[in-house]
């Protein structure tokens, strides 16, 4: 097996093997894309765990004969915010007739608000599980309203089905826009990094094809397993991680071209030097994401599985498809700045000078870096978690505007009433128990199940949906129905689902975070074969993640006006920050450990930062920019994740990997590798010099490092 792995890069980069490998990749891509071509991500966005009380209520609701009937609200008010006149009410009554003709159901209303400034008409739509049918019905109703305008008034269609249609409409074209912007960002940064009008196209094409395959593969897996996830996040992860892997490989390839005349031999050396770090970083993120399979929130669980699959496809593309593509093109791919034997990278000299200064006076950057992280983490002070249904979307929609008008003129709870389903024989007892709960405005029976065994109650509360008061009211109503044990009643509805979602996300956070940290620690221990370094590095990574979440929370609140984080943001942000932060730790420290075998730990870190500082910075900027592109999507959740992860990656790149980690290595020294020893200067490098006099993994940088040290002095 080991011999096969060592011979793999030789085959991928050989004259014949390169072309054959590309042909195999093209055939495999076409076949897989054809197999998955018709797959699509399953519809649905369940916010609560499947075993929650609100989910049980939704299942019981399907036993009622009107289960396919859904209520939408037509909210009307005057343009001048004055009270409605008798003529206005008469016009609304005429509109009710048009609504009945469109929907086939007699509407309820008009219902006038207590202040006389707004009216609600309750219309019924018969819908199946087809999203297209819901969209057609809602758009048909809105067309009817538009065709019968009311003088001096505006009418908005809102309610559950209308809100769902508006959300789906907000995403029309958004995925394509995200893809195009992501492609543009990656292309621009690759051009800036390599200063070549040609080179950027190769990794971009490889990663883009991997993203397309990942999109179809995850859709097929999602359909087969019934998963729910956001494909935009999966695409961003594939692009971000895939580009990072490509940057690491190409950067090392360019280094080897400065020492080797044969570009194929240089590419083999680069593949062998970077593949362990790339695989280790990929495995870390994949294992971390796989822990989300234990989550109870459907969207979180599905995202973990889909993202893990997407990253494995990105890994295969970079290690198996990119090398033969680079080998076929050769050294001229770097035109007009093709590396020549003997070239020394100017960026390496800059990073080497920084590393030398940090190494000589490590306490200053360590204390300063940790202080900055502490300040950023202070942004968590006063943070809250949980957005209302309207607050979750950046885009202005008719349904959101209608809910706002409804809340301004009617009891706030009218917008999203609770639904209680229990035994019909105990219906009167349930009504009496619920009616006694403070904050309940109205309880009414709205129907029986097909067999008559169950009764459905509609409970309108006083607090606005999504507020702490509304969540407390759900808990109080659930406590009240338990006083009627024979009713076996469950409490559901949007507000109840919100309460269950909060509890489910809290459970996921407490379960997944320790697992992610354990996975990251285990991978670092296996890779570095040390106990001290992994613990210190993971501790710094945790602090960096908390700092990013704090900074992102503060910016969300102060700059963007998002008063709270959405429920999934803390867990997903922490997961991405820790897992992706470990990526850069692996890139840097794996190189430092290799260099330490010949020159010791302090100078080994200097050489590692000299060699990888540029590529880690480029990779960090690419990943931050790609995550920032999530802000183009209409969900505030995605915007917050993009903001937090983007900030975190930049902080990790410019502060943690550049200052804090090198300072820790300079202070702790050889004890970083306890209980093993990395080996001191000259301990092994001289015995392993090749026939050209080059030492493996770092000896070749000795002259450059000495020159950098002299410049720094």
């Amino acid at each position: 097996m080991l011999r096969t792995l060592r011979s793999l890069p030789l085959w991928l980069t050989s004259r014949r093997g390169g072309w054959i490998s590309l042909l195999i990749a093209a055939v495999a891509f076409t076949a897989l894309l054809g197999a998955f071509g018709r797959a699509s991500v399953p519809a649905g966005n369940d916010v609560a765990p499947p075993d929650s009380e609100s989910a049980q209520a939704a299942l019981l609701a399907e036993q009622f004969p009107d289960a396919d009937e859904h209520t939408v609200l037509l909210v009307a008010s005057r343009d001048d915010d004055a009270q409605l006149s008798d003529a206005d009410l008469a016009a609304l009554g005429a509109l009710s007739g048009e609504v009945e003709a469109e929907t086939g159901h007699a509407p309820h209303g008009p219902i006038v608000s207590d202040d006389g400034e707004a009216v609600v008409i309750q219309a019924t739509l018969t819908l199946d599980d087809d999203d297209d049918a819901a969209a057609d019905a809602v758009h048909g109703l809105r067309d009817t309203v538009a065709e019968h305008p009311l003088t001096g008034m505006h009418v908005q269609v809102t309610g559950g089905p209308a809100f769902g249609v508006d959300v789906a409409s907000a995403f029309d074209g958004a995925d394509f826009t995200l893809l195009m912007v992501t492609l543009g960002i990656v292309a621009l940064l690759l051009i800036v990094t390599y200063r070549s009008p040609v080179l950027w196209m190769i990794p971009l094409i490889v990663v883009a094809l991997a993203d397309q395959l990942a999109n179809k593969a995850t859709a097929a897996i999602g359909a087969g397993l019934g998963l729910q996830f956001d494909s935009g996040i999966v695409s961003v992860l594939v692009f971000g991680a895939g580009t990072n892997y490509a940057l690491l490989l190409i950067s090392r390839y360019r280094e080897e071209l400065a020492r080797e005349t044969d570009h194929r031999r240089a590419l083999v050396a680069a593949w062998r030097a970077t593949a362990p770090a790339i695989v280790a970083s990929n495995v870390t993120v994949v294992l971390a994401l796989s822990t989300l399979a234990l989550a109870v929130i459907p969207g979180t669980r599905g995202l973990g599985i889909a993202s893990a699959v997407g990253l494995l496809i990105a890994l295969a593309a970079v290690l198996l498809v990119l090398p033969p593509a680079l080998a076929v093109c050769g050294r001229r791919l770097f035109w007009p700045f093709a590396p020549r034997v003997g070239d020394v990278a100017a960026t390496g000299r800059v990073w080497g000078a920084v590393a030398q200064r940090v190494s000589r006076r490590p306490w200053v950057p360590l204390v300063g870096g940790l202080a900055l992280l502490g300040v950023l983490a202070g942004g968590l002070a006063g943070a809250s978690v949980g957005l209302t249904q309207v607050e979750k979307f950046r885009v202005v929609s008719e349904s959101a505007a209608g809910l706002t008008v409804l809340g301004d003129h009617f009891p706030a709870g009218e917008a999203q009433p609770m639904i209680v389903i229990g035994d019909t024989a105990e219906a009167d007892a349930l009504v009496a128990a619920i009616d006694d709960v403070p904050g309940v405005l109205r309880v009414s029976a709205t129907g029986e199940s097909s067999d008559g065994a169950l009764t459905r109650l509609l409970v309108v509360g006083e607090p606005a949906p999504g507020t702490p008061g509304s969540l407390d009211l759900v808990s109080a109503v659930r406590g009240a129905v338990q006083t009627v044990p024979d009713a076996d009643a469950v409490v559901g509805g949007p507000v109840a689902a919100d309460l269950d979602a909060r509890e489910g996300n809290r459970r996921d956070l407490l379960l997944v975070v320790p697992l992610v940290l354990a996975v990251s620690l285990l991978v670092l221990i296996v890779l570095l074969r040390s106990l001290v370094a992994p613990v210190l590095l993971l501790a710094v990574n945790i602090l960096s993640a908390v700092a990013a979440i704090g900074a992102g929370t503060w910016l969300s609140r102060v700059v963007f006006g998002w008063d709270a984080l959405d429920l999934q943001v803390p867990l997903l942000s922490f997961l991405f920050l820790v897992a992706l932060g470990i990526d850069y730790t692996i890139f840097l420290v794996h190189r430092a450990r290799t260099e330490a075998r010949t020159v010791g730990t302090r100078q080994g870190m200097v050489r590692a930062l000299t060699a990888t500082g540029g590529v880690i910075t480029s990779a960090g900027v690419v990943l931050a920019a790609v995550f920032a592109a999530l802000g183009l999507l209409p969900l505030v959740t995605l915007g917050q994740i993009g903001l937090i992860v983007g900030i975190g990656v930049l902080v990790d790149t410019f502060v943690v990997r550049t200052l804090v980690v090198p300072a820790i290595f300079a202070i702790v020294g050889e004890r970083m590798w306890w209980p093993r020893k990395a080996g001191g200067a000259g301990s092994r490098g001289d015995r392993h010099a090749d026939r050209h006099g080059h030492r493996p993994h770092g000896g070749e940088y000795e002259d450059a490092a000495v020159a950098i040290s002299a410049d720094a002095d």
Side-chain angles (χ1 to χ4, degrees), residues 9 37 48 50 62 94 97 137 184 188 213 306 347 405 481 529 581 604 609 636 639 705:
E62 296 178 0
L188 176 62
L213 181 57
T347 55
V405 174
V481 301
R529 286 170 280 180
L609 190 56
V636 170

Side-chain angles (χ1 to χ4, degrees), residues 264-347:
R264 298 182 189 275
R265 290 179 58 186
L267 189 52
V268 169
W271 193 97
R272 288 175 174 170
T274 57
I278 292 174
V279 171
S281 64
N282 181 270
V283 168
T284 302
V285 181
V286 167
L287 290 178
L289 289 168
S290 297
T291 62
L292 293 181
L294 301 175
V296 297
I297 300 298
T300 302
R301 183 174 62 251
L303 179 63
I305 297 173
S307 299
V309 172
L311 288 179
L312 288 174
I313 292 174
L315 174 68
V318 171
L319 289 185
L320 301 179
V321 181
L322 181 58
L326 295 174
V328 167
C329 296
R331 192 185 297 263
R332 62 183 178 275
L333 192 61
F334 291 88
W335 180 86
F337 299 101
R340 296 172 297 181
V341 176
D343 285 348
V344 177
T347 55

